[in-house]
RNA sequence: UCCGCAGUAGCUCAAUGGCAGAGCACCCGGCUGUUAACCGGGGGGUUGUAAGUUCGAGUCUUACCUGCGGAGCCA
C-alpha cells in the first residue's frame, strides 16, 4: 500500500493509495457518498458506492462532519467529472476524529468572524492559495539574493533606539532598568553587515506602532532588506527590478493553480519584466500636476511633500510596470540618505510603486558616507548621539559608497495575488485592533 | 486622532413604529454522479450596551462599546 499526497496522485493512476487528511466537504446522494479530502497539498474528491463497501465503512463515512480527520484508502482513477481530474474509489477509511460544528461553513462569512477564526480560516482554499504564493515569493527572494552572493545576516528585533527616528515604536521593558524597542527596520545594522560581507541581507519582521487603519497596513510585517557595499542608487534600482522580475516569474511558474483560485489576471504579472521606468521625483510631481489640470486627481500636488496614497496610485496608473521614483526632497526621507551632488535639496532615495494601486512595495537608496554629514544630521534630528556611535564607526573605519533597500513581503504578496487587503497575506496578522488569535 | 458605514439565531442577512423571519450549519428522514448538491421535517433569540421618546421600539433620539472602509502616517 502506497501512502502519498494529493498533489502526487497523477503518478499513481489505477493504484491503491492511502491519503491522510481532513474532510473538506461531504456530499451524498442516497447510496452514494462524495467525501472531499484535503491534505495540505490539495483537495481530492473520493467516491463510495454503498453496494461496493462494507456496511461498517458506509456508516463510518456517512455522518462525518466538516474537518473530521481521517485517512482514506482507495484506487486512484482519472475522471473528468471530478474537480481536479482525479478521484479515489474508497475501499477503506480510518476516522481519527469525527467533528461536529466546524465554524467555517461552505457559505459566506464576514471578515470579523473569519479573522476571529483565523487559525481555522487558513485551511480554506483561498487562504491556502494566498499563503502558498507568499511562500514562493519568500523563497524566490531568498534564492535570488543567495545566488547573487548576498550573505544572510539577520538583524536584532530588540533595539535600543529608534533606528530612523521617524515612526512610532513599540516599547518593551528590558529587565526593568532599560527600555527596548521592537525594530522598525534592520537598515542601520545592515550597513554594518554589508561592510563585513560586501553584500548582505536581513529577512525578518518589522514593527510599527502607527495607528494606521488601511488595507495596506499591519503593525507586524516582514521585510527583506539587501545592502551592498560599493553600490550606488543606480545599482539599487538594477537589483530592485531584477528581484521583482525574478519573483514574478517564479510565482507564475510555481503557482498557476493558486493564481487561478484567486482569479488573478496573470497578464498583469507577465508584464513585470525589467527594465522598469525610472522617474525623478521632479517628473513625478509634474505627472501629478498634469493630472490635476486634466481633472483626474483632486489635489494639486506641490513640490516638496511626500506622496499620499492617492498620489502614488495616480503615478503608478500611468505605467504597466512598477515605477521607480527617485531623488526625493531630503526633508521627507530618513537622515542617513546621501544627498544628490547635483542638487543638495534632493536625497538619493528610491521608492518602487507597484501597479494597480498597490503603492510603495520597496523603499531604499544610497546611504551617506561622510562622518561630518551624519553627525550634523543626527544633531538636526535630535537623535541621541551616544546610541549612534557604533553606526558612526562605519564612517570612521573604511567608509565606502553603499546602498540598499527594503521590500515589504505582505504588500508584494497582496500585489502578486491581486487581493484587496494585506491582512490575508500573513498567517496571523497583527493590526491596530487585532491581536488575536 | 479625524470622517463615513454597520451591529438581529453558531454564520450570512430580512422585517412601513404594531405577532422575531429566511438560507446555511446542526439533528431526523429521502435520493446511485454530487460540484457551495438537492427535497421534507425539527431544535435554536436578553435584536451590541445603557438611558430616553411612545399606548407600543429591531425600527426614532442621545451616549458608549465593537467592527469595517477611508484620511493622516508608512513598507
Amino acid at each position: 500500500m502506497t501512502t502519498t499526497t494529493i498533489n502526487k496522485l497523477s503518478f499513481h493512476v489505477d493504484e491503491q493509495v492511502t491519503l491522510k487528511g481532513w474532510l473538506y466537504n461531504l456530499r451524498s446522494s442516497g447510496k452514494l457518498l462524495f467525501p472531499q479530502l484535503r491534505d495540505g497539498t490539495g483537495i481530492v474528491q473520493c467516491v463510495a458506492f454503498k453496494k461496493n463497501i462494507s456496511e461498517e465503512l458506509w456508516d463510518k463515512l456517512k455522518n462525518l462532519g466538516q474537518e473530521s480527520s481521517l485517512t482514506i484508502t482507495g484506487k486512484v482513477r482519472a475522471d473528468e467529472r471530478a474537480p481536479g481530474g482525479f478521484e479515489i474509489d474508497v475501499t477503506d477509511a480510518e476516522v481519527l476524529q469525527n467533528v461536529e460544528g466546524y465554524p467555517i461553513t461552505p457559505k459566506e462569512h464576514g471578515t470579523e468572524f473569519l479573522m476571529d477564526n483565523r487559525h481555522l480560516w487558513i485551511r480554506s482554499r483561498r487562504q491556502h492559495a494566498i499563503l502558498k504564493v507568499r511562500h514562493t515569493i519568500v523563497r524566490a527572494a531568498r534564492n535570488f539574493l543567495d545566488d547573487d552572493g548576498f550573505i544572510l545576516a539577520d538583524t536584532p528585533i530588540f533595539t535600543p533606539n529608534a533606528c530612523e527616528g521617524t515612526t512610532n515604536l513599540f516599547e518593551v521593558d528590558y529587565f526593568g532598568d532599560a527600555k527596548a524597542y521592537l525594530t522598525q527596520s534592520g537598515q542601520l545594522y545592515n550597513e554594518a553587515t554589508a561592510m563585513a560581507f560586501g553584500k548582505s541581507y536581513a529577512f525578518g519582521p518589522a514593527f510599527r506602532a502607527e495607528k494606521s487603519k488601511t488595507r495596506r497596513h499591519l503593525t507586524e510585517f516582514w521585510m527583506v532588506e539587501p545592502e551592498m557595499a560599493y553600490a550606488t542608487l543606480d545599482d539599487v534600482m538594477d537589483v530592485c527590478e531584477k528581484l521583482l522580475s525574478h519573483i514574478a516569474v517564479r510565482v507564475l511558474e510555481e503557482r498557476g493553480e493558486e493564481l487561478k483560485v484567486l482569479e488573478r489576471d496573470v497578464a498583469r504579472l507577465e508584464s513585470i519584466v525589467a527594465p522598469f521606468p525610472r522617474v525623478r521625483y521632479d517628473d513625478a510631481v509634474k505627472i501629478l500636476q498634469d493630472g490635476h489640470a486634466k481633472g483626474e486627481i483632486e489635489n494639486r500636488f506641490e513640490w516638496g511633500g511626500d506622496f499620499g496614497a492617492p498620489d502614488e496610485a495616480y503615478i503608478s496608473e500611468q505605467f504597466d510596470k512598477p515605477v521607480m521614483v527617485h531623488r526625493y526632497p531630503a526633508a521627507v526621507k530618513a537622515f542617513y540618505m546621501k544627498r544628490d551632488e547635483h542638487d543638495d535639496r534632493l536625497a538619493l532615495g528610491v521608492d518602487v510603486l507597484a501597479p494597480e494601486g498597490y503603492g510603495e512595495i520597496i523603499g531604499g537608496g544610497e546611504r551617506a558616507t561622510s562622518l561630518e554629514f551624519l553627525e550634523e544630521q543626527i544633531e538636526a534630528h535630535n537623535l541621541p548621539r551616544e546610541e549612534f556611535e557604533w553606526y558612526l564607526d562605519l564612517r570612521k573605519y573604511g567608509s565606502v559608497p553603499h546602498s540598499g533597500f527594503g521590500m515589504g513581503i505582505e504588500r508584494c504578496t497582496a500585489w502578486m495575488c491581486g487581493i484587496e487587503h494585506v491582512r490575508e497575506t500573513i498567517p496571523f496578522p497583527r493590526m491596530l485592533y487585532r491581536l488575536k488569535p
Side-chain angles (χ1 to χ4, degrees):
Chain A
M1 188 65 57
T2 314
T3 297
T4 188
T5 50
I6 291 167
N7 59 340
K8 292 185 177 147
L9 285 179
S10 60
F11 301 113
H12 298 282
V13 175
D14 295 327
E15 289 175 28
Q16 284 281 119
V17 298
T18 297
L19 296 170
K20 303 175 175 182
W22 297 263
L23 189 73
Y24 192 75
N25 197 8
L26 176 67
R27 286 185 283 265
S28 69
S29 180
K31 306 291 184 285
L32 195 52
L33 290 177
F34 297 98
Q36 286 189 304
L37 190 77
R38 66 162 193 91
D39 71 349
T41 74
I43 297 171
V44 68
Q45 174 166 287
C46 308
V47 192
F49 282 93
K50 190 170 188 181
K51 66 168 187 180
N52 293 346
I53 62 173
S54 70
E55 196 170 331
E56 185 201 353
L57 179 56
W58 176 265
D59 289 341
K60 225 176 353 183
L61 293 174
K62 139 184 111 171
N63 291 317
L64 285 179
Q66 206 185 336
E67 288 302 317
S68 292
S69 44
L70 75 162
T71 67
I72 284 184
T73 300
K75 191 173 161 188
V76 182
R77 188 162 43 73
D79 193 317
E80 284 184 2
R81 292 170 292 184
F86 296 101
E87 215 167 57
I88 307 289
D89 279 324
V90 181
T91 54
D92 198 9
E94 187 189 343
V95 177
L96 282 78
Q97 186 184 35
N98 188 359
V99 167
E100 190 178 319
Y102 184 71
I104 302 177
T105 63
K107 288 279 177 183
E108 296 165 14
H109 300 283
T111 309
E112 184 187 3
F113 174 79
L114 289 168
M115 273 299 169
D116 285 341
N117 289 285
R118 183 64 176 168
H119 52 297
L120 305 175
W121 189 21
I122 54 178
R123 300 180 184 192
S124 65
R125 203 190 293 263
R126 177 182 154 86
Q127 297 309 308
H128 219 260
I130 295 167
L131 293 175
K132 281 186 171 175
V133 172
R134 176 194 173 98
H135 167 73
T136 293
I137 289 168
V138 169
R139 203 153 68 103
R142 296 184 64 140
N143 286 348
F144 175 87
L145 295 170
D146 293 347
D147 292 348
D148 200 28
F150 284 80
I151 299 296
L152 174 69
D154 285 323
T155 52
I157 289 170
F158 287 133
T159 60
N161 60 286
C163 95
E164 302 181 14
T166 51
T167 57
N168 296 318
L169 302 179
F170 287 104
E171 195 178 284
V172 180
D173 178 74
Y174 204 74
F175 301 117
D177 50 356
K179 292 275 188 250
Y181 302 90
L182 298 184
T183 183
Q184 58 173 313
S185 162
Q187 163 57 30
L188 302 185
Y189 293 97
N190 286 331
E191 294 187 44
T193 62
M195 295 306 131
F197 298 103
K199 296 201 281 190
S200 63
Y201 72 101
F203 193 105
F207 306 87
R208 308 251 167 118
E210 304 291 346
K211 294 205 165 180
S212 293
K213 204 169 139 25
T214 78
R215 66 183 70 180
R216 296 180 307 280
H217 284 87
L218 299 170
T219 54
E220 177 183 311
F221 64 100
W222 287 68
M223 279 203 294
V224 56
E225 298 176 279
E227 190 76 21
M228 301 170 281
Y230 291 100
T232 63
L233 175 64
D234 285 337
D235 295 327
V236 157
M237 292 196 273
D238 289 347
V239 174
C240 285
E241 62 191 6
K242 281 182 198 154
L243 172 64
L244 288 174
S245 306
H246 178 75
I247 288 172
V249 165
R250 295 294 297 277
V251 168
L252 285 164
E253 278 173 4
E254 291 179 16
R255 296 299 167 201
E257 281 303 311
E258 286 75 13
L259 294 174
K260 222 176 277 177
V261 168
L262 297 167
E263 297 178 335
R264 181 59 163 136
D265 178 5
V266 292
R268 304 308 295 259
L269 302 186
E270 285 161 355
S271 65
I272 305 170
V273 178
F276 300 161
R278 302 182 182 196
V279 179
R280 298 176 66 99
Y281 171 88
D282 292 5
D283 295 324
V285 170
K286 281 189 196 115
I287 289 173
L288 290 173
Q289 291 176 345
D290 289 349
H292 175 73
K294 284 189 246 171
E296 291 172 355
I297 188 165
E298 202 174 322
N299 295 321
R300 185 181 155 81
F301 190 87
E302 294 301 333
W303 194 98
D306 206 353
F307 302 130
D311 304 318
E312 282 185 358
Y314 185 79
I315 294 166
S316 65
E317 274 167 23
Q318 311 309 309
F319 305 89
D320 287 340
K321 296 183 185 185
V323 192
M324 301 196 281
V325 181
H326 59 94
R327 292 179 167 80
Y328 281 77
V332 302
K333 288 291 172 187
F335 76 91
Y336 52 72
M337 289 279 189
K338 188 179 178 74
R339 296 296 172 89
D340 187 345
E341 60 184 11
H342 304 295
D343 185 344
D344 192 48
R345 300 171 306 160
L346 300 179
L348 295 178
V350 57
D351 284 354
V352 181
L353 308 181
E356 303 173 76
Y358 283 95
E360 183 184 348
I361 53 161
I362 286 179
E366 188 166 338
R367 325 303 188 187
T369 49
S370 153
L371 177 63
E372 292 70 28
F373 175 79
L374 282 172
E375 285 172 335
E376 286 167 23
Q377 289 295 310
I378 286 169
E379 199 180 330
H381 286 78
N382 288 318
L383 295 170
R385 160 85 190 229
E386 61 279 11
E387 300 289 355
F388 289 89
E389 287 296 344
W390 69 267
Y391 182 68
L392 294 172
D393 273 359
L394 304 174
R395 274 68 180 180
K396 289 182 196 164
Y397 305 115
S399 186
V400 299
H402 62 291
S403 304
F405 64 93
M407 181 182 82
I409 297 297
E410 288 76 19
R411 285 188 181 179
C412 184
T413 305
W415 168 38
M416 293 286 157
C417 292
I419 61 174
E420 280 288 299
H421 205 302
V422 292
R423 68 187 160 204
E424 293 179 62
T425 64
I426 184 168
F428 297 97
R430 296 289 97 114
M431 295 179 291
L432 183 50
Y433 298 119
R434 171 68 58 182
L435 191 55
K436 290 192 281 186

